[in-house]
């Protein structure tokens, strides 16, 4: 079953599906435990069997990561991603893809209270590639450029166009924040591989 952006189930013709009394959610099924911390809420409800609860809390991942910092993001939030990128609802995968860029930034810079994404991009565009006022978190940088980029690459090949676009935007923007020398190995292989796949399809298969 698909959801529209408001989390309403859609029928086969992409109109709002008629209510199914046999599948009606009880009020208590949608109740959120307000006694949980922000991190514990996200951890619990992104794994909910109810798509709407998963959607709401997937959209909170970046905010939560920024709040709890790099260490908790790496240890607690990142292990949630392998399951979420395979979520059966495309709208959830789409919003997850949009969360992955800020998640990378938290891993790379989350412990730097002075990190300003706009100022960082300006310094990069001014060809100040050293960005000496900002310090990467070594572990977080490695995880962002290997593990999270791997998840982004999976979503770039998603069957749903909106998911692919959100993931492609995340990867392209990430190139503005990683070390310039890592762009060829971290960012470029994906678009090059996609172009090659298109060429192979047009020619009837790989040579």
């Amino acid at each position: 079953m698909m959801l529209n952006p408001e989390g309403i189930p859609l029928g086969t013709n992409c109109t709002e599906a008629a209510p199914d009394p046999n599948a009606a959610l009880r009020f208590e099924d949608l109740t959120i435990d307000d006694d949980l911390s922000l991190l514990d809420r996200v951890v619990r409800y992104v794994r909910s069997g109810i798509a709407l609860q998963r959607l709401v809390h997937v959209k909170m991942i970046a905010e939560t990561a920024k709040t709890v910092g790099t260490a908790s993001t790496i240890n607690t939030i990142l292990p949630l991603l392998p399951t979420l990128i395979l979520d059966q609802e495309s709208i959830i995968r789409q919003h997850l893809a949009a969360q992955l860029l800020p998640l990378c930034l938290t891993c790379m810079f989350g412990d730097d209270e002075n990190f300003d994404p706009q100022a960082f991009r300006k310094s990069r565009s001014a060809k100040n590639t050293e960005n000496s006022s900002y310090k990467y978190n070594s572990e977080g940088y490695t995880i962002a450029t290997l593990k999270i980029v791997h998840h982004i690459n999976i979503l770039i090949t998603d069957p749903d166009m909106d998911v692919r676009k959100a993931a492609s935007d995340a990867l392209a923007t990430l190139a503005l924040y990683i070390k310039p020398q890592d762009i060829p190995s971290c960012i470029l292989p994906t678009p090059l591989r996609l172009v090659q796949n298109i060429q192979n399809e047009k020619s009837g298969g790989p040579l």
Side-chain angles (χ1 to χ4, degrees):
M1 180 181 293
M2 295 180 62
L3 303 176
N4 72 4
E6 286 73 39
I8 299 174
L10 299 179
T12 56
N13 60 352
C14 291
T15 58
E16 290 185 10
D20 181 357
N22 295 321
L25 296 174
R26 298 174 301 171
F27 174 78
E28 51 267 33
D29 290 332
L30 296 176
T31 301
I32 303 299
D33 187 350
D34 292 329
D35 292 332
L36 295 174
S37 67
L38 180 59
L39 179 60
D40 289 340
R41 280 182 57 188
V42 168
V43 170
R44 173 180 292 187
Y45 292 111
V46 298
R47 297 182 293 187
S48 170
I50 301 170
L52 182 57
Q53 285 188 340
R54 296 200 306 278
L55 175 62
V56 168
H57 289 85
V58 161
K59 293 164 72 172
M60 296 169 60
I61 285 177
E63 171 195 353
T64 304
K66 186 175 181 179
T67 299
V68 301
T70 299
S72 293
T73 295
I74 292 172
N75 295 328
T76 306
I77 295 179
L78 292 189
L80 303 172
L81 299 184
T83 299
L84 289 173
I85 63 173
L86 301 176
D87 195 283
Q88 63 183 347
E89 304 294 352
S90 63
I91 189 66
I92 292 177
R93 300 194 305 275
Q94 177 187 346
H95 281 282
L96 175 65
Q99 299 290 301
L100 294 183
L101 173 65
L103 198 61
C104 283
L105 297 184
T106 294
C107 287
M108 296 191 298
F109 302 106
D111 295 330
D112 186 347
E113 296 179 356
N114 297 317
F115 176 70
D116 181 339
Q118 291 185 348
F120 186 94
R121 292 198 305 270
K122 286 181 180 179
S123 65
R124 180 67 60 85
S125 64
K127 298 185 178 180
N128 177 17
T129 57
E130 294 300 323
N131 292 292
S132 57
S133 61
Y134 299 105
K135 302 298 181 184
Y136 290 108
N137 178 295
S138 178
E139 179 187 9
Y141 184 87
T142 299
I143 288 174
T145 54
L146 292 179
K147 292 186 177 181
I148 302 181
V149 165
H150 173 70
H151 296 317
I152 294 174
N153 287 337
I154 291 175
L155 293 172
I156 284 177
T157 61
D158 193 273
D160 185 90
M161 180 180 66
D162 291 330
V163 177
R164 296 197 301 270
K165 183 180 185 305
S168 297
D169 290 346
L171 186 67
T173 308
L174 180 61
L176 301 175
Y177 295 98
I178 68 172
K179 299 172 184 177
Q181 63 267 29
D182 290 335
I183 291 176
S185 61
C186 180
I187 305 296
L188 294 184
T190 298
L192 292 176
R193 183 172 61 251
L194 293 175
V195 169
Q196 184 63 53
N197 290 343
I198 293 173
Q199 292 176 342
N200 289 340
E201 290 175 1
K202 290 181 177 179
S203 64
L207 297 177

